[in-house]
Amino acid sequence: MGGDLAPLIAVVGSDGSGKSTLSADLLAHIQKTRAAESGYLGLGSGEQGRRIGRWPIIGPPLHRFLDGIADRLREPGEPIPGALAARYALNKSKKRRAKFDALLDQRRAGKVIVTDRYPQLEVPGLHDGPILAGRATTPRLAAMQAEERALYAEMAAYKPTLVVRLHVDVDTVMLRKPDHDRALITRKVETVPLLTFNGAPIVDIDATIPYDEELAVAIAAVDRALAEG
């Protein structure tokens, strides 16, 4: 899909890879010559959970509880922990779909979009893929899981004009994000190469090189993609 749509540049990678900084700088570059807008397609759940963890008294145990549910939702081998958790996940994915549709409207209006993150199907449970990656143990859970997957299939059918895929090592992420879980970061770093975004054009960038060099590589790739588009 993508006919009659303005280009979309998606910046993706593990936590701590610098997606937000790079996407903002790419947007500023594009806006010098074209109408362009930013789009954030994450859910903000991780930072929300960490804020809860800082609440007095109840915060730490509530954060651990929510983290436990999130872990079980994202584990392909674990059972989905009940209909309430599944409904919560499905609603969050519907909110992501609403943001995605709003970006489509802007693309139809001729605006280039630069996104921080992009929905995908290759790695359920991580990297803005389907949240309900676990095992459905009842027909009701299976139906909700199928409904959510359909949302992501519809979004993934819109291939980005270019994906800027950032690579970073675990130690660097932990230096940048010391409050993150190392085991989860390891999984995210290791699965970044699996993100193909339905065959979209991809430029791979080492996000540990000096930032001015990283930005120059990304700008050159974006300029080529926009010229071809």
Side-chain angles (χ1 to χ4, degrees), residues 130-182:
I131 302 170
L132 295 173
R135 179 163 44 86
T137 55
T138 69
R140 183 183 181 191
L141 291 176
M144 284 192 280
Q145 189 175 49
E147 182 180 355
E148 186 198 41
R149 184 174 178 82
L151 292 175
Y152 284 84
E154 291 164 0
M155 290 187 285
Y158 290 89
K159 295 182 187 180
T161 307
L162 177 70
V163 175
V164 180
R165 191 168 58 178
L166 302 178
H167 298 270
V168 68
D169 60 88
V170 176
D171 288 340
T172 297
V173 175
M174 296 312 299
L175 284 173
R176 295 175 178 177
K177 305 275 187 178
D179 58 341
H180 283 45
D181 178 74
R182 187 179 183 91

mmCIF file of all heavy atoms in Angstrom, residues 130-182:
data_model
loop_
_atom_site.group_PDB
_atom_site.id
_atom_site.type_symbol
_atom_site.label_atom_id
_atom_site.label_comp_id
_atom_site.label_asym_id
_atom_site.label_seq_id
_atom_site.Cartn_x
_atom_site.Cartn_y
_atom_site.Cartn_z
ATOM 1 N N PRO A 130 2.634 -6.755 17.885
ATOM 2 C CA PRO A 130 1.462 -7.140 18.682
ATOM 3 C C PRO A 130 1.844 -7.376 20.146
ATOM 4 O O PRO A 130 2.841 -8.035 20.432
ATOM 5 C CB PRO A 130 0.992 -8.430 18.007
ATOM 6 C CG PRO A 130 1.471 -8.314 16.601
ATOM 7 C CD PRO A 130 2.788 -7.594 16.678
ATOM 8 N N ILE A 131 1.058 -6.828 21.041
ATOM 9 C CA ILE A 131 1.351 -6.968 22.477
ATOM 10 C C ILE A 131 1.014 -8.373 22.952
ATOM 11 O O ILE A 131 1.718 -8.947 23.785
ATOM 12 C CB ILE A 131 0.562 -5.921 23.287
ATOM 13 C CG1 ILE A 131 0.908 -4.504 22.805
ATOM 14 C CG2 ILE A 131 0.859 -6.054 24.780
ATOM 15 C CD1 ILE A 131 0.005 -3.434 23.386
ATOM 16 N N LEU A 132 -0.061 -8.931 22.417
ATOM 17 C CA LEU A 132 -0.512 -10.256 22.854
ATOM 18 C C LEU A 132 0.293 -11.344 22.155
ATOM 19 O O LEU A 132 -0.190 -12.051 21.276
ATOM 20 C CB LEU A 132 -2.011 -10.421 22.589
ATOM 21 C CG LEU A 132 -2.918 -9.494 23.396
ATOM 22 C CD1 LEU A 132 -4.364 -9.609 22.932
ATOM 23 C CD2 LEU A 132 -2.826 -9.816 24.883
ATOM 24 N N ALA A 133 1.551 -11.468 22.579
ATOM 25 C CA ALA A 133 2.439 -12.447 21.952
ATOM 26 C C ALA A 133 2.364 -13.803 22.633
ATOM 27 O O ALA A 133 2.890 -14.789 22.119
ATOM 28 C CB ALA A 133 3.880 -11.946 21.998
ATOM 29 N N GLY A 134 1.715 -13.858 23.790
ATOM 30 C CA GLY A 134 1.653 -15.100 24.556
ATOM 31 C C GLY A 134 0.692 -16.119 23.966
ATOM 32 O O GLY A 134 0.142 -15.941 22.874
ATOM 33 N N ARG A 135 0.475 -17.171 24.719
ATOM 34 C CA ARG A 135 -0.353 -18.293 24.257
ATOM 35 C C ARG A 135 -1.788 -18.096 24.726
ATOM 36 O O ARG A 135 -2.054 -17.913 25.913
ATOM 37 C CB ARG A 135 0.240 -19.596 24.827
ATOM 38 C CG ARG A 135 -0.491 -20.867 24.468
ATOM 39 C CD ARG A 135 0.395 -22.078 24.719
ATOM 40 N NE ARG A 135 1.107 -21.986 25.993
ATOM 41 C CZ ARG A 135 0.607 -22.382 27.161
ATOM 42 N NH1 ARG A 135 -0.607 -22.900 27.211
ATOM 43 N NH2 ARG A 135 1.317 -22.287 28.264
ATOM 44 N N ALA A 136 -2.722 -18.101 23.778
ATOM 45 C CA ALA A 136 -4.141 -17.971 24.106
ATOM 46 C C ALA A 136 -4.668 -19.316 24.604
ATOM 47 O O ALA A 136 -4.546 -20.325 23.915
ATOM 48 C CB ALA A 136 -4.928 -17.508 22.891
ATOM 49 N N THR A 137 -5.252 -19.330 25.797
ATOM 50 C CA THR A 137 -5.705 -20.580 26.409
ATOM 51 C C THR A 137 -7.216 -20.754 26.361
ATOM 52 O O THR A 137 -7.724 -21.795 26.801
ATOM 53 C CB THR A 137 -5.235 -20.640 27.870
ATOM 54 O OG1 THR A 137 -5.694 -19.473 28.556
ATOM 55 C CG2 THR A 137 -3.710 -20.706 27.948
ATOM 56 N N THR A 138 -7.942 -19.767 25.841
ATOM 57 C CA THR A 138 -9.397 -19.879 25.709
ATOM 58 C C THR A 138 -9.808 -19.298 24.354
ATOM 59 O O THR A 138 -9.068 -18.489 23.767
ATOM 60 C CB THR A 138 -10.137 -19.107 26.821
ATOM 61 O OG1 THR A 138 -9.940 -17.685 26.612
ATOM 62 C CG2 THR A 138 -9.642 -19.507 28.208
ATOM 63 N N PRO A 139 -10.974 -19.683 23.860
ATOM 64 C CA PRO A 139 -11.442 -19.105 22.600
ATOM 65 C C PRO A 139 -11.558 -17.583 22.655
ATOM 66 O O PRO A 139 -11.284 -16.890 21.671
ATOM 67 C CB PRO A 139 -12.807 -19.763 22.389
ATOM 68 C CG PRO A 139 -12.701 -21.074 23.120
ATOM 69 C CD PRO A 139 -11.855 -20.789 24.323
ATOM 70 N N ARG A 140 -11.961 -17.057 23.821
ATOM 71 C CA ARG A 140 -12.090 -15.599 23.955
ATOM 72 C C ARG A 140 -10.730 -14.913 23.802
ATOM 73 O O ARG A 140 -10.599 -13.905 23.108
ATOM 74 C CB ARG A 140 -12.719 -15.250 25.305
ATOM 75 C CG ARG A 140 -12.968 -13.763 25.511
ATOM 76 C CD ARG A 140 -13.522 -13.494 26.893
ATOM 77 N NE ARG A 140 -13.781 -12.073 27.107
ATOM 78 C CZ ARG A 140 -14.056 -11.532 28.274
ATOM 79 N NH1 ARG A 140 -14.136 -12.308 29.354
ATOM 80 N NH2 ARG A 140 -14.271 -10.241 28.397
ATOM 81 N N LEU A 141 -9.719 -15.470 24.451
ATOM 82 C CA LEU A 141 -8.381 -14.892 24.335
ATOM 83 C C LEU A 141 -7.851 -15.028 22.908
ATOM 84 O O LEU A 141 -7.211 -14.111 22.388
ATOM 85 C CB LEU A 141 -7.425 -15.578 25.312
ATOM 86 C CG LEU A 141 -7.655 -15.301 26.800
ATOM 87 C CD1 LEU A 141 -6.692 -16.120 27.651
ATOM 88 C CD2 LEU A 141 -7.500 -13.816 27.104
ATOM 89 N N ALA A 142 -8.140 -16.153 22.280
ATOM 90 C CA ALA A 142 -7.701 -16.351 20.894
ATOM 91 C C ALA A 142 -8.355 -15.327 19.963
ATOM 92 O O ALA A 142 -7.712 -14.817 19.035
ATOM 93 C CB ALA A 142 -8.026 -17.769 20.443
ATOM 94 N N ALA A 143 -9.619 -15.024 20.219
ATOM 95 C CA ALA A 143 -10.323 -14.047 19.387
ATOM 96 C C ALA A 143 -9.723 -12.656 19.554
ATOM 97 O O ALA A 143 -9.539 -11.926 18.566
ATOM 98 C CB ALA A 143 -11.805 -14.032 19.742
ATOM 99 N N MET A 144 -9.393 -12.281 20.803
ATOM 100 C CA MET A 144 -8.787 -10.972 21.035
ATOM 101 C C MET A 144 -7.392 -10.905 20.426
ATOM 102 O O MET A 144 -6.990 -9.881 19.862
ATOM 103 C CB MET A 144 -8.753 -10.654 22.531
ATOM 104 C CG MET A 144 -10.101 -10.243 23.089
ATOM 105 S SD MET A 144 -10.022 -9.543 24.756
ATOM 106 C CE MET A 144 -9.920 -11.047 25.732
ATOM 107 N N GLN A 145 -6.665 -11.993 20.524
ATOM 108 C CA GLN A 145 -5.329 -12.037 19.938
ATOM 109 C C GLN A 145 -5.405 -11.884 18.420
ATOM 110 O O GLN A 145 -4.621 -11.157 17.808
ATOM 111 C CB GLN A 145 -4.635 -13.341 20.311
ATOM 112 C CG GLN A 145 -3.164 -13.396 19.921
ATOM 113 C CD GLN A 145 -2.503 -14.661 20.430
ATOM 114 O OE1 GLN A 145 -3.031 -15.766 20.235
ATOM 115 N NE2 GLN A 145 -1.371 -14.520 21.093
ATOM 116 N N ALA A 146 -6.372 -12.571 17.802
ATOM 117 C CA ALA A 146 -6.549 -12.476 16.350
ATOM 118 C C ALA A 146 -6.977 -11.064 15.938
ATOM 119 O O ALA A 146 -6.519 -10.539 14.914
ATOM 120 C CB ALA A 146 -7.582 -13.500 15.885
ATOM 121 N N GLU A 147 -7.844 -10.446 16.749
ATOM 122 C CA GLU A 147 -8.280 -9.077 16.452
ATOM 123 C C GLU A 147 -7.091 -8.116 16.502
ATOM 124 O O GLU A 147 -6.942 -7.247 15.633
ATOM 125 C CB GLU A 147 -9.349 -8.643 17.457
ATOM 126 C CG GLU A 147 -9.896 -7.242 17.195
ATOM 127 C CD GLU A 147 -10.946 -6.815 18.199
ATOM 128 O OE1 GLU A 147 -11.326 -7.646 19.069
ATOM 129 O OE2 GLU A 147 -11.389 -5.650 18.133
ATOM 130 N N GLU A 148 -6.243 -8.297 17.510
ATOM 131 C CA GLU A 148 -5.089 -7.416 17.623
ATOM 132 C C GLU A 148 -4.126 -7.643 16.462
ATOM 133 O O GLU A 148 -3.619 -6.689 15.858
ATOM 134 C CB GLU A 148 -4.362 -7.632 18.946
ATOM 135 C CG GLU A 148 -3.233 -6.623 19.137
ATOM 136 C CD GLU A 148 -2.221 -7.008 20.181
ATOM 137 O OE1 GLU A 148 -1.840 -8.201 20.238
ATOM 138 O OE2 GLU A 148 -1.786 -6.123 20.922
ATOM 139 N N ARG A 149 -3.869 -8.896 16.143
ATOM 140 C CA ARG A 149 -2.936 -9.186 15.048
ATOM 141 C C ARG A 149 -3.435 -8.583 13.740
ATOM 142 O O ARG A 149 -2.631 -8.093 12.925
ATOM 143 C CB ARG A 149 -2.742 -10.699 14.904
ATOM 144 C CG ARG A 149 -1.710 -11.048 13.846
ATOM 145 C CD ARG A 149 -1.401 -12.521 13.773
ATOM 146 N NE ARG A 149 -0.442 -12.794 12.715
ATOM 147 C CZ ARG A 149 0.874 -12.660 12.814
ATOM 148 N NH1 ARG A 149 1.398 -12.264 13.957
ATOM 149 N NH2 ARG A 149 1.675 -12.914 11.793
ATOM 150 N N ALA A 150 -4.740 -8.590 13.523
ATOM 151 C CA ALA A 150 -5.289 -7.996 12.302
ATOM 152 C C ALA A 150 -4.995 -6.499 12.240
ATOM 153 O O ALA A 150 -4.722 -5.956 11.154
ATOM 154 C CB ALA A 150 -6.789 -8.247 12.223
ATOM 155 N N LEU A 151 -5.032 -5.829 13.387
ATOM 156 C CA LEU A 151 -4.701 -4.403 13.427
ATOM 157 C C LEU A 151 -3.276 -4.177 12.927
ATOM 158 O O LEU A 151 -3.009 -3.270 12.131
ATOM 159 C CB LEU A 151 -4.826 -3.859 14.852
ATOM 160 C CG LEU A 151 -6.216 -3.763 15.478
ATOM 161 C CD1 LEU A 151 -6.093 -3.313 16.922
ATOM 162 C CD2 LEU A 151 -7.088 -2.784 14.689
ATOM 163 N N TYR A 152 -2.345 -5.015 13.409
ATOM 164 C CA TYR A 152 -0.945 -4.856 13.029
ATOM 165 C C TYR A 152 -0.709 -5.264 11.580
ATOM 166 O O TYR A 152 0.125 -4.658 10.895
ATOM 167 C CB TYR A 152 -0.048 -5.639 13.987
ATOM 168 C CG TYR A 152 0.091 -4.938 15.318
ATOM 169 C CD1 TYR A 152 -0.867 -5.103 16.312
ATOM 170 C CD2 TYR A 152 1.148 -4.072 15.568
ATOM 171 C CE1 TYR A 152 -0.766 -4.436 17.511
ATOM 172 C CE2 TYR A 152 1.262 -3.403 16.772
ATOM 173 C CZ TYR A 152 0.296 -3.578 17.740
ATOM 174 O OH TYR A 152 0.389 -2.907 18.938
ATOM 175 N N ALA A 153 -1.432 -6.262 11.117
ATOM 176 C CA ALA A 153 -1.294 -6.663 9.712
ATOM 177 C C ALA A 153 -1.722 -5.523 8.789
ATOM 178 O O ALA A 153 -1.080 -5.260 7.761
ATOM 179 C CB ALA A 153 -2.117 -7.916 9.443
ATOM 180 N N GLU A 154 -2.786 -4.837 9.175
ATOM 181 C CA GLU A 154 -3.265 -3.721 8.356
ATOM 182 C C GLU A 154 -2.252 -2.574 8.367
ATOM 183 O O GLU A 154 -1.985 -1.954 7.328
ATOM 184 C CB GLU A 154 -4.622 -3.242 8.880
ATOM 185 C CG GLU A 154 -5.747 -4.250 8.640
ATOM 186 C CD GLU A 154 -6.978 -3.967 9.483
ATOM 187 O OE1 GLU A 154 -6.957 -2.981 10.266
ATOM 188 O OE2 GLU A 154 -7.949 -4.734 9.376
ATOM 189 N N MET A 155 -1.658 -2.286 9.537
ATOM 190 C CA MET A 155 -0.665 -1.212 9.601
ATOM 191 C C MET A 155 0.607 -1.601 8.850
ATOM 192 O O MET A 155 1.178 -0.793 8.109
ATOM 193 C CB MET A 155 -0.352 -0.875 11.065
ATOM 194 C CG MET A 155 -1.498 -0.185 11.793
ATOM 195 S SD MET A 155 -1.066 0.386 13.462
ATOM 196 C CE MET A 155 -1.064 -1.159 14.390
ATOM 197 N N ALA A 156 1.046 -2.845 9.037
ATOM 198 C CA ALA A 156 2.293 -3.290 8.398
ATOM 199 C C ALA A 156 2.177 -3.339 6.888
ATOM 200 O O ALA A 156 3.196 -3.311 6.187
ATOM 201 C CB ALA A 156 2.687 -4.662 8.941
ATOM 202 N N ALA A 157 0.948 -3.406 6.377
ATOM 203 C CA ALA A 157 0.764 -3.424 4.918
ATOM 204 C C ALA A 157 1.205 -2.104 4.283
ATOM 205 O O ALA A 157 1.499 -2.064 3.086
ATOM 206 C CB ALA A 157 -0.697 -3.711 4.582
ATOM 207 N N TYR A 158 1.246 -1.036 5.069
ATOM 208 C CA TYR A 158 1.746 0.245 4.587
ATOM 209 C C TYR A 158 3.254 0.286 4.823
ATOM 210 O O TYR A 158 3.725 0.580 5.919
ATOM 211 C CB TYR A 158 1.080 1.403 5.335
ATOM 212 C CG TYR A 158 -0.379 1.595 4.992
ATOM 213 C CD1 TYR A 158 -1.369 0.924 5.704
ATOM 214 C CD2 TYR A 158 -0.765 2.446 3.959
ATOM 215 C CE1 TYR A 158 -2.714 1.096 5.401
ATOM 216 C CE2 TYR A 158 -2.113 2.625 3.642
ATOM 217 C CZ TYR A 158 -3.072 1.946 4.372
ATOM 218 O OH TYR A 158 -4.394 2.121 4.068
ATOM 219 N N LYS A 159 4.026 -0.036 3.798
ATOM 220 C CA LYS A 159 5.475 -0.061 3.944
ATOM 221 C C LYS A 159 6.023 1.370 4.025
ATOM 222 O O LYS A 159 5.636 2.229 3.230
ATOM 223 C CB LYS A 159 6.127 -0.743 2.737
ATOM 224 C CG LYS A 159 5.806 -2.209 2.570
ATOM 225 C CD LYS A 159 6.553 -2.761 1.358
ATOM 226 C CE LYS A 159 6.143 -4.176 1.044
ATOM 227 N NZ LYS A 159 6.873 -4.701 -0.138
ATOM 228 N N PRO A 160 6.921 1.623 4.982
ATOM 229 C CA PRO A 160 7.581 2.930 4.998
ATOM 230 C C PRO A 160 8.368 3.155 3.701
ATOM 231 O O PRO A 160 8.835 2.205 3.061
ATOM 232 C CB PRO A 160 8.532 2.834 6.198
ATOM 233 C CG PRO A 160 7.942 1.760 7.066
ATOM 234 C CD PRO A 160 7.330 0.777 6.117
ATOM 235 N N THR A 161 8.519 4.405 3.331
ATOM 236 C CA THR A 161 9.358 4.750 2.191
ATOM 237 C C THR A 161 10.805 4.366 2.471
ATOM 238 O O THR A 161 11.537 3.908 1.590
ATOM 239 C CB THR A 161 9.264 6.262 1.908
ATOM 240 O OG1 THR A 161 7.882 6.618 1.784
ATOM 241 C CG2 THR A 161 10.028 6.641 0.654
ATOM 242 N N LEU A 162 11.212 4.561 3.739
ATOM 243 C CA LEU A 162 12.545 4.188 4.187
ATOM 244 C C LEU A 162 12.500 3.891 5.682
ATOM 245 O O LEU A 162 11.853 4.629 6.441
ATOM 246 C CB LEU A 162 13.559 5.309 3.931
ATOM 247 C CG LEU A 162 14.982 5.042 4.435
ATOM 248 C CD1 LEU A 162 15.668 3.965 3.595
ATOM 249 C CD2 LEU A 162 15.809 6.332 4.428
ATOM 250 N N VAL A 163 13.177 2.820 6.081
ATOM 251 C CA VAL A 163 13.364 2.516 7.496
ATOM 252 C C VAL A 163 14.820 2.797 7.851
ATOM 253 O O VAL A 163 15.733 2.269 7.212
ATOM 254 C CB VAL A 163 13.031 1.043 7.814
ATOM 255 C CG1 VAL A 163 13.359 0.729 9.281
ATOM 256 C CG2 VAL A 163 11.564 0.751 7.527
ATOM 257 N N VAL A 164 15.043 3.635 8.830
ATOM 258 C CA VAL A 164 16.378 3.869 9.375
ATOM 259 C C VAL A 164 16.489 2.976 10.613
ATOM 260 O O VAL A 164 15.861 3.236 11.639
ATOM 261 C CB VAL A 164 16.593 5.346 9.739
ATOM 262 C CG1 VAL A 164 17.998 5.550 10.316
ATOM 263 C CG2 VAL A 164 16.362 6.240 8.522
ATOM 264 N N ARG A 165 17.241 1.894 10.482
ATOM 265 C CA ARG A 165 17.318 0.867 11.536
ATOM 266 C C ARG A 165 18.613 1.050 12.331
ATOM 267 O O ARG A 165 19.701 0.866 11.794
ATOM 268 C CB ARG A 165 17.237 -0.520 10.901
ATOM 269 C CG ARG A 165 17.050 -1.668 11.882
ATOM 270 C CD ARG A 165 16.681 -2.968 11.162
ATOM 271 N NE ARG A 165 17.685 -3.369 10.181
ATOM 272 C CZ ARG A 165 17.617 -4.483 9.443
ATOM 273 N NH1 ARG A 165 16.566 -5.290 9.576
ATOM 274 N NH2 ARG A 165 18.566 -4.792 8.579
ATOM 275 N N LEU A 166 18.474 1.431 13.590
ATOM 276 C CA LEU A 166 19.626 1.751 14.429
ATOM 277 C C LEU A 166 20.076 0.532 15.218
ATOM 278 O O LEU A 166 19.256 -0.176 15.811
ATOM 279 C CB LEU A 166 19.271 2.886 15.392
ATOM 280 C CG LEU A 166 18.808 4.190 14.742
ATOM 281 C CD1 LEU A 166 18.453 5.214 15.815
ATOM 282 C CD2 LEU A 166 19.876 4.741 13.799
ATOM 283 N N HIS A 167 21.380 0.315 15.242
ATOM 284 C CA HIS A 167 21.957 -0.812 15.971
ATOM 285 C C HIS A 167 22.852 -0.290 17.092
ATOM 286 O O HIS A 167 23.639 0.649 16.889
ATOM 287 C CB HIS A 167 22.776 -1.698 15.027
ATOM 288 C CG HIS A 167 21.957 -2.301 13.931
ATOM 289 N ND1 HIS A 167 21.325 -3.520 14.053
ATOM 290 C CD2 HIS A 167 21.641 -1.829 12.688
ATOM 291 C CE1 HIS A 167 20.670 -3.779 12.926
ATOM 292 N NE2 HIS A 167 20.836 -2.770 12.094
ATOM 293 N N VAL A 168 22.740 -0.910 18.243
ATOM 294 C CA VAL A 168 23.508 -0.505 19.412
ATOM 295 C C VAL A 168 23.772 -1.742 20.257
ATOM 296 O O VAL A 168 23.019 -2.718 20.188
ATOM 297 C CB VAL A 168 22.728 0.584 20.194
ATOM 298 C CG1 VAL A 168 21.474 0.016 20.832
ATOM 299 C CG2 VAL A 168 23.594 1.276 21.225
ATOM 300 N N ASP A 169 24.838 -1.742 21.048
ATOM 301 C CA ASP A 169 25.127 -2.895 21.899
ATOM 302 C C ASP A 169 24.491 -2.707 23.274
ATOM 303 O O ASP A 169 24.134 -1.593 23.683
ATOM 304 C CB ASP A 169 26.640 -3.099 22.036
ATOM 305 C CG ASP A 169 27.328 -1.896 22.649
ATOM 306 O OD1 ASP A 169 27.428 -1.825 23.873
ATOM 307 O OD2 ASP A 169 27.742 -0.992 21.879
ATOM 308 N N VAL A 170 24.357 -3.814 23.992
ATOM 309 C CA VAL A 170 23.661 -3.801 25.280
ATOM 310 C C VAL A 170 24.358 -2.892 26.282
ATOM 311 O O VAL A 170 23.700 -2.124 27.007
ATOM 312 C CB VAL A 170 23.536 -5.235 25.831
ATOM 313 C CG1 VAL A 170 22.908 -5.221 27.222
ATOM 314 C CG2 VAL A 170 22.707 -6.105 24.887
ATOM 315 N N ASP A 171 25.683 -2.956 26.361
ATOM 316 C CA ASP A 171 26.400 -2.135 27.341
ATOM 317 C C ASP A 171 26.163 -0.648 27.104
ATOM 318 O O ASP A 171 26.001 0.128 28.060
ATOM 319 C CB ASP A 171 27.899 -2.438 27.293
ATOM 320 C CG ASP A 171 28.250 -3.799 27.879
ATOM 321 O OD1 ASP A 171 27.423 -4.338 28.660
ATOM 322 O OD2 ASP A 171 29.323 -4.329 27.563
ATOM 323 N N THR A 172 26.135 -0.246 25.845
ATOM 324 C CA THR A 172 25.876 1.162 25.541
ATOM 325 C C THR A 172 24.478 1.565 25.979
ATOM 326 O O THR A 172 24.273 2.650 26.550
ATOM 327 C CB THR A 172 26.060 1.429 24.031
ATOM 328 O OG1 THR A 172 27.412 1.166 23.673
ATOM 329 C CG2 THR A 172 25.721 2.867 23.683
ATOM 330 N N VAL A 173 23.491 0.698 25.717
ATOM 331 C CA VAL A 173 22.128 1.003 26.149
ATOM 332 C C VAL A 173 22.065 1.164 27.661
ATOM 333 O O VAL A 173 21.436 2.098 28.183
ATOM 334 C CB VAL A 173 21.141 -0.089 25.694
ATOM 335 C CG1 VAL A 173 19.751 0.188 26.266
ATOM 336 C CG2 VAL A 173 21.076 -0.164 24.180
ATOM 337 N N MET A 174 22.720 0.275 28.395
ATOM 338 C CA MET A 174 22.639 0.329 29.856
ATOM 339 C C MET A 174 23.340 1.570 30.410
ATOM 340 O O MET A 174 22.953 2.083 31.462
ATOM 341 C CB MET A 174 23.229 -0.946 30.469
ATOM 342 C CG MET A 174 22.454 -2.214 30.120
ATOM 343 S SD MET A 174 20.653 -2.096 30.358
ATOM 344 C CE MET A 174 20.540 -1.768 32.123
ATOM 345 N N LEU A 175 24.347 2.060 29.712
ATOM 346 C CA LEU A 175 24.960 3.323 30.118
ATOM 347 C C LEU A 175 23.995 4.486 29.894
ATOM 348 O O LEU A 175 23.916 5.412 30.698
ATOM 349 C CB LEU A 175 26.251 3.563 29.336
ATOM 350 C CG LEU A 175 27.475 2.744 29.763
ATOM 351 C CD1 LEU A 175 28.627 2.961 28.783
ATOM 352 C CD2 LEU A 175 27.915 3.123 31.185
ATOM 353 N N ARG A 176 23.270 4.416 28.798
ATOM 354 C CA ARG A 176 22.331 5.489 28.467
ATOM 355 C C ARG A 176 21.028 5.372 29.248
ATOM 356 O O ARG A 176 20.386 6.389 29.542
ATOM 357 C CB ARG A 176 22.024 5.459 26.964
ATOM 358 C CG ARG A 176 23.215 5.751 26.069
ATOM 359 C CD ARG A 176 22.855 5.569 24.590
ATOM 360 N NE ARG A 176 23.970 5.877 23.700
ATOM 361 C CZ ARG A 176 23.934 5.734 22.378
ATOM 362 N NH1 ARG A 176 22.820 5.275 21.784
ATOM 363 N NH2 ARG A 176 24.985 6.040 21.638
ATOM 364 N N LYS A 177 20.618 4.144 29.550
ATOM 365 C CA LYS A 177 19.333 3.890 30.216
ATOM 366 C C LYS A 177 19.553 2.948 31.406
ATOM 367 O O LYS A 177 19.109 1.788 31.392
ATOM 368 C CB LYS A 177 18.347 3.243 29.235
ATOM 369 C CG LYS A 177 18.117 4.026 27.953
ATOM 370 C CD LYS A 177 17.054 5.074 28.138
ATOM 371 C CE LYS A 177 16.702 5.737 26.819
ATOM 372 N NZ LYS A 177 15.619 6.748 26.984
ATOM 373 N N PRO A 178 20.221 3.399 32.466
ATOM 374 C CA PRO A 178 20.581 2.488 33.563
ATOM 375 C C PRO A 178 19.390 1.926 34.330
ATOM 376 O O PRO A 178 19.538 0.926 35.043
ATOM 377 C CB PRO A 178 21.453 3.368 34.472
ATOM 378 C CG PRO A 178 21.096 4.775 34.120
ATOM 379 C CD PRO A 178 20.758 4.757 32.665
ATOM 380 N N ASP A 179 18.205 2.524 34.193
ATOM 381 C CA ASP A 179 17.034 2.021 34.900
ATOM 382 C C ASP A 179 16.296 0.935 34.127
ATOM 383 O O ASP A 179 15.294 0.396 34.598
ATOM 384 C CB ASP A 179 16.062 3.167 35.225
ATOM 385 C CG ASP A 179 15.596 3.919 33.989
ATOM 386 O OD1 ASP A 179 16.273 3.820 32.937
ATOM 387 O OD2 ASP A 179 14.570 4.623 34.074
ATOM 388 N N HIS A 180 16.785 0.569 32.938
ATOM 389 C CA HIS A 180 16.128 -0.458 32.140
ATOM 390 C C HIS A 180 16.603 -1.854 32.549
ATOM 391 O O HIS A 180 17.678 -2.017 33.126
ATOM 392 C CB HIS A 180 16.402 -0.236 30.645
ATOM 393 C CG HIS A 180 15.583 0.872 30.044
ATOM 394 N ND1 HIS A 180 15.407 2.088 30.657
ATOM 395 C CD2 HIS A 180 14.890 0.939 28.867
ATOM 396 C CE1 HIS A 180 14.633 2.854 29.893
ATOM 397 N NE2 HIS A 180 14.313 2.180 28.807
ATOM 398 N N ASP A 181 15.772 -2.842 32.220
ATOM 399 C CA ASP A 181 16.083 -4.231 32.542
ATOM 400 C C ASP A 181 17.060 -4.789 31.508
ATOM 401 O O ASP A 181 16.760 -4.810 30.313
ATOM 402 C CB ASP A 181 14.792 -5.063 32.558
ATOM 403 C CG ASP A 181 15.050 -6.523 32.848
ATOM 404 O OD1 ASP A 181 15.339 -6.847 34.011
ATOM 405 O OD2 ASP A 181 14.980 -7.326 31.897
ATOM 406 N N ARG A 182 18.213 -5.257 31.986
ATOM 407 C CA ARG A 182 19.260 -5.689 31.054
ATOM 408 C C ARG A 182 18.824 -6.887 30.207
ATOM 409 O O ARG A 182 19.110 -6.949 29.007
ATOM 410 C CB ARG A 182 20.543 -6.031 31.822
ATOM 411 C CG ARG A 182 21.727 -6.320 30.892
ATOM 412 C CD ARG A 182 23.008 -6.640 31.650
ATOM 413 N NE ARG A 182 24.100 -6.828 30.711
ATOM 414 C CZ ARG A 182 24.918 -5.878 30.291
ATOM 415 N NH1 ARG A 182 24.765 -4.636 30.765
ATOM 416 N NH2 ARG A 182 25.874 -6.137 29.422
#
